[in-house]
Amino acid sequence: MFRLRTLVICFLFGGLLTGCPNRPVETLSAAEGALADAELARKCAPDEFAAAERMYAKAQKLADEEKYDEAETAALAAKKLAVKAQQKALARKDDCEAPKVDPNNDVSEFVDNSGDKGLGDGDSGGMKTVYFDYNAHELTEQAQGTLAANAAWMKANPTARVVIEGHCDNRGSTEYNLALGEKRARVVRKYLSNWGIDSGRLSIVSYGEEQPLAGGEDEGAHARNRRAEFRVKR
Amino acid sequence: MSAREPGASPFESHVMEILMRRTLIPALLLLFAAPAFAQGTGEGLEFDVTGGALVKFNLAVPDALNLGGPADTRGVTEALSGTISRDLRIAGYFNLIDKKAFLADPAKEGMEPNYIDWLNIGTQGLVKSGYRIQGDEVVVDLRLYSVDGQRRITLAAPYDKAATLPLDAGKIRYHAHGFVNEVIRYFTKSPGFFNTRLVAVRQNGRAKELIMISPDGLDEATLTSTGGINMLPSLGGGRIYFTSFRNGGPHLFVLSGGKAKPFASFKGLNTGAALSPDGRSVAVTLSKDGNPEIYLLDPNSGAIQRRLTDSWGIDTSPSWSPDGRRIAFVSDRHGSPQVWVMNADGSGQKRLTFQGDYNQTPDWSPRGDRIAFTARDERNVFDIFTITLADGAVTRLTQNQGNNEEPTWSPDGRYVAFTSTRTGSSQLWIMTADGRVQNRVSTGKGGYITPYWGR
């Protein structure tokens, strides 16, 4: 609170008081950033991390006391300590972050070593995303308009094959949303084939709530996530 | 409720304290104490263990004592008394007496209690732990005393005497969990659930990976590391079934012997997997016939045994009754997702929930009488409820504390694990089956989804 007030005062009177503009804001925030980046060190190099935190606190205190030169030096030191702590933490990472497996209830046979990886890629070509109402897989008028345009693009690009991805917002259960995303993708495929697109060019996949476009818990974010997206393979 | 006040109540102890202070004659103590512990017999205390924590027992758990040998630099104390205290708190049946209230100095007292010092703080039980480090081993002595009864309670082996363990926190913790299970058996006639395992998904950025975790929130092991989406694990029959996008769509895999093998990759959805209690079928959701429906698959080959549902809506999230004769599931065929029940051959499909318009994730209690589920209320908040099969009575277990979702019963049906966002991130919680005692068990940043308690 005190620092905030100082900042505000500096901002207001920055032109008048020569001391204020010298507060090493950038160096301080660089030190703060380095501390934030050293999150692993909090656990894996706790002593080094604590030293960096102490130095940063000292830099802040000096700055609050308007000892700006000393504050700058301390902030630089804090940043250096934080970076060092993180390096140390990374070196120790394997020991420190290794999952602690209960030796009497060995889970190793459940650990998947198959090395399989995740998802496919692709761009959306000229296909525009369509959106759905909450817990619904019926097409709104707006969605129907978008799909008519998408059908036109597919007719203009007759070699393009399209994967329709059904998505949901993050409310509701993981499994139910996979089913709902599937219903959305199916409705879109049906609509496109009604527009004369060969259904052999259309495949579907549901991602449920697994691939949100927008973060956050507000209705705006939810509405952007309830969608069918298109991935074009040529 | 057959609940009965066990042994000497804290009030009685308090009266005794006033009467006798600390100068009482041992004979006088016996006179008073004898009728009290006649109720709390050696076989444990009679009270209803189905409804959760109606009666709470007072227990004192002093820090583990170093009984000689080198100093503890390997976390032995924490792995003993720390584990025991945490487990007892999660169990819900116990009030742990604040260490500051102890009259005795546990370090000076040693492993044999001076009962009167413990009676006077109103505790019914006392858990003592001691250890002696010998090279790369540690001798561990765990004891339960009945303070009312003024005697040591003999627990089942190996907890009837000191045990020699490797000097390893995980192994010591495992031993301590087993001891707590027996302490809970003594007080409630049914053992605790520690040393069982949950599987869940943990989200890290966009990646979702499977984990296995102890019910005390420790000993977490990461099972998959694809960087992609792995989800909906279930643990049973020595294997883990799960859903993954690693081959493009949501397909089912089975994890055992250190490798994930494809289990079901039909066209469309292949999600969820609930192994039947007899191990002969896996209930899953497939959309290969044009709509999400529930099917039974062979647990080894993944071949279709039978299709169970056929409705225009979504049918998903199957959960077996413990006798294997029925399956609860979610259907939105009446317009909104609701919990339904059917026979295991798909006949007799019947809607079970009628309150609210968004009921999901049924989990059938291993006791058979109730189904836990997640419901969304009119404020768009998710909470956990149970519904009784016999009369459809709905009981709310969580309220006004973030979103609470994905209930999964403990193997004995006395507890429910679930995810809650009440602390700001999605963490694993365990509550008693009546919701009275709720404890966060996971530590750290959270991101836990869809826990499944191995049975």
Side-chain angles (χ1 to χ4, degrees), chain A residues 100 102-104 107 109-113 116-117 134 173-176 182-183 186 206-207 210 212, chain B residues 171 174 197 206 208 212 219 223 226 231 245-246 255 257-258 271-272 287 291 312 316-317 360 376 382:
Chain A
K100 290 179 182 61
D102 191 321
N104 290 335
V107 303
E109 73 164 297
F110 293 125
V111 176
D112 173 21
N113 296 314
D116 291 342
K117 293 287 173 203
Y134 178 60
S173 80
T174 301
E175 190 170 24
Y176 183 83
E182 161 104 357
K183 287 220 131 194
R186 278 178 190 279
S206 171
Y207 283 105
E210 308 307 315
Chain B
K171 290 199 161 86
Y174 187 87
R197 283 289 178 279
R206 291 220 151 185
K208 291 187 175 174
M212 190 179 260
D219 299 306
L223 305 182
T226 62
M231 57 206 296
F245 280 79
R246 60 186 71 192
L255 191 47
T271 72
S287 68
N291 201 34
W312 71 272
T316 190
S317 299
Q360 298 179 328
R376 193 204 65 200
F382 290 85

Side-chain angles (χ1 to χ4, degrees), chain B residues 156-174:
Chain B
Y159 304 104
D160 52 342
K161 52 179 184 286
T164 304
L165 307 172
L167 186 50
D168 174 289
K171 290 199 161 86
I172 298 167
R173 216 160 25 236
Y174 187 87

